[in-house]
Amino acid sequence: MEATHQLILAGAALVAFSILLGQLSTRFGAPLLLVFLAIGMLAGEDGPGGILFSDFGAAFVIGSLALAVILFDGGLRTSRDTLRLALGPAVALASVGVAITALLVGLAAALLFDFTWPAALLIGSIVASTDAAAVFALLRVKGMDVQRRTAATLEAESGLNDPVAVFLTVVFTEYLIAPEGPGFFEVVLRLILQMGGGAIVGIAGGYLLTRLINRLSLATGLYPILALSLALVIFGGALAVGASGFLAVYAAGVVLGNSRHREAISIDRFHDGMAWLAQIALFLMLGLLITPHDLLRGLDVAVILSLVLMFLARPLAVALCLVPFRFTWQEIGFIGWVGLRGAVPIFLATIPILSGAADGTTYLNLAFVAVLASLVLQGWSVAWLARALGLELPPKPERPLRQELGLPGTGADLVIAAYEVAPEALAARRAIGRLPLSEEARILMAIRDGRALHPPELERLEPGDTVLVLGPASGQEPLDRIFGARERPAEEAGTVFGEFTLEGSAPVEALASLYGLPIPEGSARTTLADFVAKRLGKEPIAGDRLPLGDIELVVQEVAGGAIRSVGIELEPEQRRARQIDPRRIRESLSGLAARLRAILPQRRKRA
């Protein structure tokens, strides 16, 4: 019993300390998950904590469950708009991109070092996928906002690419143990079953989960628990039939997150907390699993392969996958760099160990160095690179805190939503009759200083009022924009959105005559929105730039796929000059890599 008590005390203290230290680390820009990993190492065998943990079987089970929870939460937060905007590029990166990355890293391991082809390709497969926990934490915790298509591609890719990496790791582990391995057609059939089966089980399970939540009458606190337990049933069920559990649980989360259902807010909040707990526990456990003094053996090999991964394999794979989708080179460069590695490579490295492969810990050490290098170099530089490449957008205000109440007998169609009117909201100090509400939405009452006010005595809303609105469940996002904080005006965005703003309905001829711009014949009477959208040749997103003569047109605001406002950048060349030249970045990092290659072998000899 005493040992159990000490285990509970140590585990709870590690989690609490990780959260507190993580909050402090954000002030210095340190990647949060790196802090959790470091604390696990300090608590481990070589650290002051001295905790011995080498149960790879337990690590595999805990890692599987934690990743399932993280991916389910990621699916809940992946909107239809994200998938519509980035599904094609994300699928290409999650399949072809992972395979190319694994192949290039495997080539480097086989040609530069003394690895057999199965071992080399196994190394490439282990480190090939980006990590959902790392990418989600980076894009959401940093408070950074980048161009929508870029962010959507990164999020969707990180949720989709784990199944391919797991499949490749298992296949090459089999080839490593038994050189004859499975045949080509067997591998193809298994791949189809893994991907196709995972998608079918996940989508069907997500719809079933949604129907159960809407039909069952449970205590409020049980809905999130039901969602989590059934998500794990979907995960385990997919694995039981030979399909990808990770793809299934992510797909189930996407279906549930994009469906109207009871207790949506409580389910989202609960799973947000569970995902954070899973991330913390996962990285702490993996930190305990690593023995730092073992990393010195073959450290130079691990560092060089990590540099190949970050500076050659990942960028080249991203470029090959995204060029057909007409991404700009800035977007390709950013997505190539933000291929963060996290818990997944370390988790995958336990597979050859559990399979009894010779020198299994070698793969674990290589994976850990790749993760550490990724979190340090890439995690610390993402915000800086987004600004340097002109992809950073002004931060959006947080969505207002909305409380929803479903009405009996109306299913999930009508809800009463409660908002607190933000000081800078569109609704603040505005008459009720002047609010841009839809025909279906009705303000029922407002609470001000503890007193309930009903129309018509409620003439206007004041900051701090709590307002109750009856409306369709599908129309809550427009209400968020009315009662929540407004986005920063374009003029405060500096060089991101240009120096001046024009409405999308403005005629192109007015802009042409003002700045003497070359306008194609027949376009003079076209609206600015239609002109920019046609010249871009794709669905416009905020931050898109269109050179026109000596100026640039910058898409500022997009609603429903249509451009609402356009910025004017009068001196685009000066803006580019203020940004850091990517060639200098590559040259500096190449020099750093060369110095590391010269130093690391000497350190290993001294060790």
Side-chain angles (χ1 to χ4, degrees), residues 201-213:
V201 170
I203 293 172
Y207 279 115
L208 178 61
L209 176 56
T210 304
R211 289 181 65 86
L212 281 174
I213 290 175

Side-chain angles (χ1 to χ4, degrees), residues 89-317:
V91 170
L93 288 173
S95 54
V96 179
V98 169
I100 293 175
T101 303
L103 177 61
L104 293 176
V105 174
L107 284 172
L111 298 178
L112 298 179
F113 306 104
D114 189 21
F115 287 103
T116 63
W117 282 107
L121 292 173
L122 175 59
I123 293 170
S125 302
I126 288 172
V127 300
S129 70
T130 60
D131 187 76
V135 172
F136 292 157
L138 182 73
L139 294 179
R140 293 169 183 169
V141 174
K142 288 272 189 181
M144 179 180 60
D145 193 16
V146 298
Q147 285 189 3
R148 187 181 169 202
R149 183 172 65 161
T150 303
T153 301
L154 283 167
E155 289 198 25
E157 178 213 0
S158 65
L160 292 169
N161 64 7
D162 289 345
V164 175
V166 172
F167 176 80
L168 292 175
T169 300
V170 171
V171 167
F172 287 119
T173 299
E174 293 177 2
Y175 279 117
L176 184 66
I177 296 174
E180 62 277 6
F184 174 77
F185 290 105
E186 180 184 351
V187 171
V188 172
L189 289 175
R190 284 168 56 181
L191 178 62
I192 294 173
L193 176 60
Q194 283 269 306
M195 302 302 111
I200 292 172
V201 170
I203 293 172
Y207 279 115
L208 178 61
L209 176 56
T210 304
R211 289 181 65 86
L212 281 174
I213 290 175
N214 284 330
R215 286 181 175 271
L216 296 177
S217 180
L218 303 173
T220 301
L222 292 179
Y223 285 104
I225 299 174
L226 174 67
L228 177 60
S229 60
L230 290 181
L232 294 178
V233 168
I234 292 169
F235 174 71
L239 293 175
V241 298
S244 170
F246 293 127
L247 180 58
V249 76
Y250 179 74
V254 171
V255 172
L256 180 63
N258 287 280
S259 304
R260 295 302 308 179
H261 56 85
R262 293 180 179 178
E263 301 297 329
I265 292 180
S266 63
I267 288 175
D268 287 348
R269 290 178 181 170
F270 174 83
H271 284 92
D272 182 51
M274 288 300 299
W276 273 113
L277 179 60
Q279 290 176 32
I280 294 171
L282 181 59
F283 277 82
L284 286 175
M285 179 197 70
L286 295 175
L288 289 172
L289 198 63
I290 293 297
T291 306
H293 70 261
D294 288 342
L295 297 176
L296 296 176
R297 295 193 296 271
L299 182 60
D300 55 339
V301 175
V303 170
I304 291 173
L305 291 180
S306 299
L307 294 175
V308 169
L309 170 66
M310 288 188 291
F311 296 108
L312 175 63
R314 165 73 180 181
L316 184 56

